Amino acid sequence: MNAPFQPSRRSLLATAAGFGLSLQLLAVPALAAETALNKKKVIVVICRGGMDGLSVTPPIGDSEYQGLRGGLALNDALPLDGTFALHPQLTAVHAMARAGEARIVPAVATPDRARSHFEAQDVLETGAAGVYSTTSGWLNRAVETLSAQRKVDAISIGPTAPLLLRGKVQTASWSPGRGVDAEARLPMLLQDLYRNDPLLGPALARGLATETMAKDATAGLMGDSSMMAAGGKPSGGVKAGAGPGAQQGREAAKTLGEALAGFMREPNGPTVAAISLDGFDSHANQAGLLTQRLAYLDAVLDGIHTGLGPEWKNTVVLVATEFGRTARANGTGGTDHGTGSTALILGGSLKPGGIVGDWPTLKANALYENRDVAPTVDMRGLFKGVLSEHMGVDRAALDTAIFPSSSGVKPVLGLV
């Protein structure tokens, strides 16, 4: 059987010349596609500490929600549909969702099930199936793959690049001046160290709870947030997040988002970025802590949105965390390390739609190990979908180079 005819580039050009066609005209479709891809941008925001998905996107229409959450149930959430809402501090995200530029992934998780901060963060950032199996980040490997086709630069916000962006490709970093928040990360380190110790584990949890409530009481007297009762509800005083300190923090966070957008808006600026936000570990007084941290996250995202201007239409932003929290509150008005959490996907390139993935419900027989939201979406599939549809990465590279040994994890498609 004869092989199918494959015209060479030279024969195509000769044929074009014979018909009097312009070589420049022939190149227009390819150049147009390349130019469109060059404009595409992706930003990954990591919320460290295990962000509580049931607070970020409370399933207020789930019949089990109020009973499981108790004092942590949100009655003033911002509605999205008949089942889900957004935390009341996520006002900018809510506005984007109403405009069809933000969607939620309410039951997502990495392959890790250990509930250790640092193990889960390693899997989240390396994109591997197991902990400590590689030393480079999946976003760095994605940049490496894309750089073989076109110029792709990346930047991280902070004094050092997160693992997510470490690897063969050199990336830039910018810090607004403050170093790593050691105070926010120390409790995570200690909890991981003592989580299996029957004596020190509970003692540490009680100590952290006492410290958190003392800080909240002081902040309430200063006018920065309310004093919160152990059940997670305001015990009187200033409304949480309403003081002058909260407003200043929100303005600073928006400025941070605008600064990142400014870098990416430049004609030859980076097209890939990563930013880490600490402080989402909410073992005690979760209501007060998340009021502040989600207001900060919302302001950062608002700054990115407004700062990018017309480039927002070319951008996708992913917000993820290493794991979720327990469905039930603990005895100190907080929640413990869990499994399924919520991811956010935002951007002007986004297709409008409902939730991403399936909602497993909060029924007792649907909870993972009778305590956590059961994941229905593999985090790697979410990342694969964005890299495939938005950035033009082919499936073979996604399954092997970027997310090793992950051919069984299909990209989540239809997002952009």
Side-chain angles (χ1 to χ4, degrees):
M1 179 181 293
N2 293 331
F5 173 64
Q6 296 290 337
S8 67
R9 182 174 182 272
R10 178 175 296 178
S11 66
L12 283 173
L13 294 177
T15 302
F19 281 96
L21 297 178
S22 164
L23 300 183
Q24 184 178 4
L25 183 61
L26 279 176
V28 165
L31 288 175
E34 182 180 345
T35 301
L37 281 175
N38 287 344
K39 291 181 178 179
K40 300 298 184 182
K41 297 173 173 57
V42 63
I43 301 170
V44 180
V45 181
I46 297 179
C47 296
R48 298 188 187 278
M51 185 170 65
D52 179 43
L54 295 179
S55 292
V56 177
T57 54
I60 55 176
D62 190 303
S63 60
E64 307 296 321
Y65 169 69
Q66 291 283 344
L68 276 175
R69 291 264 105 176
L72 293 180
L74 294 167
N75 298 315
D76 55 349
L78 308 171
L80 291 174
D81 57 27
T83 301
F84 289 96
L86 286 170
H87 190 280
Q89 290 297 325
L90 296 175
T91 54
V93 174
H94 188 248
M96 286 183 251
R98 291 177 66 95
E101 296 182 343
R103 295 175 67 179
I104 67 172
V105 194
V108 65
T110 70
D112 182 76
R113 297 291 181 269
R115 301 189 184 98
S116 157
H117 286 294
F118 295 97
E119 290 182 9
Q121 287 177 17
D122 179 87
V123 173
L124 171 65
E125 296 186 71
T126 63
V131 66
Y132 307 136
S133 57
T134 182
T135 58
S136 62
W138 65 261
L139 193 55
N140 188 283
R141 297 194 298 272
V143 172
E144 181 183 6
T145 299
L146 290 166
S147 296
Q149 305 166 0
R150 60 186 187 271
K151 185 177 184 295
V152 178
D153 291 322
I155 188 171
S156 63
I157 302 301
T160 59
L163 175 56
L164 181 70
L165 262 184
R166 294 180 204 160
K168 293 181 182 179
V169 178
Q170 184 175 359
T171 62
S173 64
W174 175 78
S175 175
R178 185 178 178 183
V180 175
D181 192 346
E183 184 179 354
R185 292 197 178 189
L186 181 59
M188 292 195 302
L189 177 62
L190 293 175
Q191 288 157 20
D192 273 0
L193 183 62
Y194 296 126
R195 70 182 188 276
N196 295 321
D197 190 299
L199 179 63
L200 294 178
L204 176 62
R206 289 192 298 270
L208 291 174
T210 302
E211 180 185 24
T212 300
M213 286 187 281
K215 286 182 178 179
D216 288 334
T218 303
L221 294 172
M222 297 298 291
D224 283 37
S225 67
S226 66
M227 293 188 293
M228 308 296 291
K233 293 201 171 187
S235 60
V238 182
K239 182 180 179 182
Q247 181 59 33
Q248 291 171 4
R250 194 172 183 106
E251 290 172 358
K254 185 172 182 178
T255 300
L256 179 64
E258 290 172 342
L260 173 57
F263 288 121
M264 303 189 77
R265 198 177 57 237
E266 291 295 320
N268 295 314
T271 55
V272 173
I275 180 170
S276 296
L277 303 179
D278 290 322
F280 287 88
D281 197 17
S282 51
H283 284 279
N285 189 17
Q286 178 170 291
L289 184 149
L290 288 187
T291 290
Q292 298 168 4
R293 297 314 296 155
L294 291 177
Y296 192 92
L297 169 64
D298 189 68
V300 169
L301 297 173
D302 188 24
I304 292 172
H305 174 211
T306 58
L308 281 172
E311 289 303 310
W312 177 249
K313 69 179 184 296
N314 296 315
T315 304
V316 169
V317 182
L318 287 162
V319 180
T321 191
E322 68 261 35
F323 50 59
R325 317 290 300 187
T326 50
R328 301 177 184 87
N330 60 26
T332 57
T335 52
D336 298 317
H337 298 178
T339 308
S341 186
T342 292
L344 303 176
I345 176 169
L346 315 94
S349 291
L350 201 64
K351 285 183 180 177
I355 71 168
V356 179
D358 298 320
W359 176 239
T361 79
L362 295 176
K363 295 183 183 301
N365 61 359
L367 293 177
Y368 179 74
E369 295 186 348
N370 192 37
R371 48 171 280 163
D372 307 333
V373 172
T376 63
V377 175
D378 189 312
M379 193 85 73
R380 294 169 296 174
L382 180 66
F383 298 152
K384 281 184 176 185
V386 171
L387 292 177
S388 171
E389 293 187 318
H390 185 61
M391 301 299 286
V393 180
D394 67 72
R395 179 69 186 272
L398 290 170
D399 290 348
T400 56
I402 300 174
F403 299 97
S405 305
S406 67
S407 58
V409 180
K410 296 180 179 179
V412 177
L413 301 177
L415 299 176
V416 297

